[in-house]
Amino acid sequence: MYHLLRKLGFYLVALWAALTVNFAIPRMMPGDPVEIMLSKLGQKGPVTEDTREAIEALLGTGAGRPLWSQYRDYLAGLAHGDLGVSVVFFPAPVSTIIGQTLPWTIGLIGLATVISFLTGVGLGTLAGWKRGSWMDNLIPVTTMFQSVPYFWLALILLFLLGSVWPLFPLNGGYDVYEVTPGWTGEFLGSVVYYGTLPALTIIISSIGGWMLGMRNMMVSTLSEDYMLTAEAKGLRPGRIMRRYAARNAVLPSVSGFAISLGFVVAGSIVTEAVFSYPGIGSALLQAVGGNDYALMQGIFLIITLSVLGANLLVDLLYSVIDPRTRAQS
């Protein structure tokens, strides 16, 4: 219990520090969201001083207002679930924008990350178990794809599979002309079809790291004394590989996988930019370009919560998977 309370206390302090940095960074950027909002309204007609004051009150960035007052209102808004109003998507609330874009990112990046992890760990297990085989020789090829700049790999796949051989669409999340959004087979099929190429890019670029890491841990684990004991007992090779070697070798990969899941919420900004995918990464790009403090803070908050939650989860899982961590702590 003390071990759990200590970890929870650490993560609460980390959460407060992250929220404070989340508040400070957008305000250190050049530009004024109020002026951006006024320039948009000015295109439709004259803007009065009352309008300026109303927008400053709405965005919480009044002229001459001290930062501590903005910080107090920021924390109070978070406590009540109020993330503010977006400047870029005015007058939509930030929570609405996040609610619309987050499922797209989780569906694409999340599934691609899980598939990449499971495939890479599985192939790495076989490569480490059968050193010198064709599976082991496949690792340099997968790591080569990982070393290629991500945006360059995305553009190559987009050119080959979207233009030269038009197997997949070039951009978008679904067919906006033929399909109506909803929980229908036609819409879900369109989402899968449009998301296949971005997901394939993510899998190809990340599978090499999981495979190489798991292969190296397998080789290290196979030299342990308990592996020799398991062979001396006459256990089947398949059981030794799964229950003794892979189960211990996968522990570092589980930690890395949890951190990767935390950053799934951040999305892959490059992927969503190249493929014009309607995820949270695209919303973050627009927020940065428009100095949208509220939307940036809301997205960073979701990213922070997901990363801290993933790390806390892996800490708790480690205590279950490897009891030695409880004894050390």
Side-chain angles (χ1 to χ4, degrees):
M1 180 60 69
Y2 172 74
H3 171 71
L4 177 61
L5 292 176
R6 189 178 65 178
K7 284 190 175 296
L8 290 176
F10 168 78
Y11 281 103
L12 287 176
V13 173
L15 176 61
W16 170 79
L19 292 178
T20 302
V21 173
N22 186 23
F23 169 82
I25 288 180
R27 285 162 174 78
M28 299 170 72
M29 297 175 60
D32 185 355
V34 175
E35 294 297 335
I36 294 174
M37 193 74 250
L38 289 175
S39 65
K40 291 181 179 180
L41 295 177
Q43 297 174 0
K44 301 178 181 179
V47 179
T48 64
E49 188 63 28
D50 292 338
T51 302
R52 169 183 285 275
E53 294 176 358
I55 292 177
E56 288 177 347
L58 179 65
L59 300 180
T61 58
R65 190 178 176 204
L67 281 178
W68 67 264
S69 178
Q70 298 182 36
Y71 182 63
R72 179 195 60 197
D73 293 344
Y74 162 72
L75 293 180
L78 291 181
H80 292 87
D82 181 13
L83 301 178
V85 177
S86 171
V87 172
V88 176
F89 300 97
F90 185 83
V94 170
S95 56
T96 301
I97 303 302
I98 293 177
Q100 292 173 349
T101 56
L102 187 58
W104 291 95
T105 294
I106 293 178
L108 173 65
I109 313 297
L111 287 177
T113 301
V114 171
I115 293 173
S116 174
F117 171 75
L118 295 177
T119 305
V121 167
L123 294 178
T125 300
L126 296 176
W129 182 256
K130 298 181 178 180
R131 284 172 289 178
S133 64
W134 67 270
M135 186 72 69
D136 198 13
N137 296 328
L138 186 64
I139 291 180
V141 178
T142 59
T143 53
M144 178 197 69
F145 283 114
Q146 189 177 20
S147 64
V148 175
Y150 186 82
F151 71 92
W152 184 244
L153 178 61
L155 290 174
I156 291 176
L157 291 179
L158 193 63
F159 174 72
L160 293 178
L161 301 182
S163 297
V164 178
W165 300 290
L167 301 177
F168 301 102
L170 294 176
N171 54 60
Y174 66 98
D175 190 346
V176 297
Y177 301 105
E178 302 292 338
V179 179
T180 302
W183 293 102
T184 62
E186 185 181 17
F187 174 71
L188 295 178
S190 179
V191 170
V192 172
Y193 177 55
Y194 273 73
T196 298
L197 191 55
L200 184 63
T201 305
I202 297 171
I203 292 172
I204 292 177
S205 64
S206 59
I207 194 174
W210 298 119
M211 188 174 177
L212 178 62
M214 186 62 184
R215 186 263 182 194
N216 291 338
M217 287 305 302
M218 280 289 293
V219 172
S220 176
T221 303
L222 290 175
S223 62
E224 297 290 341
D225 293 337
Y226 59 82
M227 294 298 301
L228 183 61
T229 303
E231 294 176 359
K233 288 181 177 179
L235 299 178
R236 296 190 303 272
R239 183 179 180 185
I240 295 175
M241 180 183 70
R242 293 189 304 270
R243 298 292 298 275
Y244 290 83
R247 183 176 180 180
N248 290 280
V250 79
L251 290 176
S253 296
V254 170
S255 178
F257 176 63
I259 297 175
S260 298
L261 284 182
F263 282 102
V264 160
V265 178
S268 179
I269 297 179
V270 176
T271 301
E272 295 180 6
V274 172
F275 294 98
S276 300
Y277 198 77
I280 204 168
S282 298
L284 180 59
L285 278 177
Q286 296 181 62
V288 173
N291 285 86
D292 192 340
Y293 290 176
L295 184 54
M296 280 190 283
Q297 288 175 170
I299 294 176
F300 290 152
L301 173 63
I302 300 299
I303 295 172
T304 299
L305 292 177
S306 62
V307 172
L308 290 177
N311 278 274
L312 176 60
L313 179 62
V314 75
D315 276 347
L316 298 178
L317 284 178
Y318 249 98
S319 300
V320 176
I321 299 174
D322 191 357
R324 292 174 298 179
T325 57
R326 293 197 297 266
Q328 294 171 358
S329 59

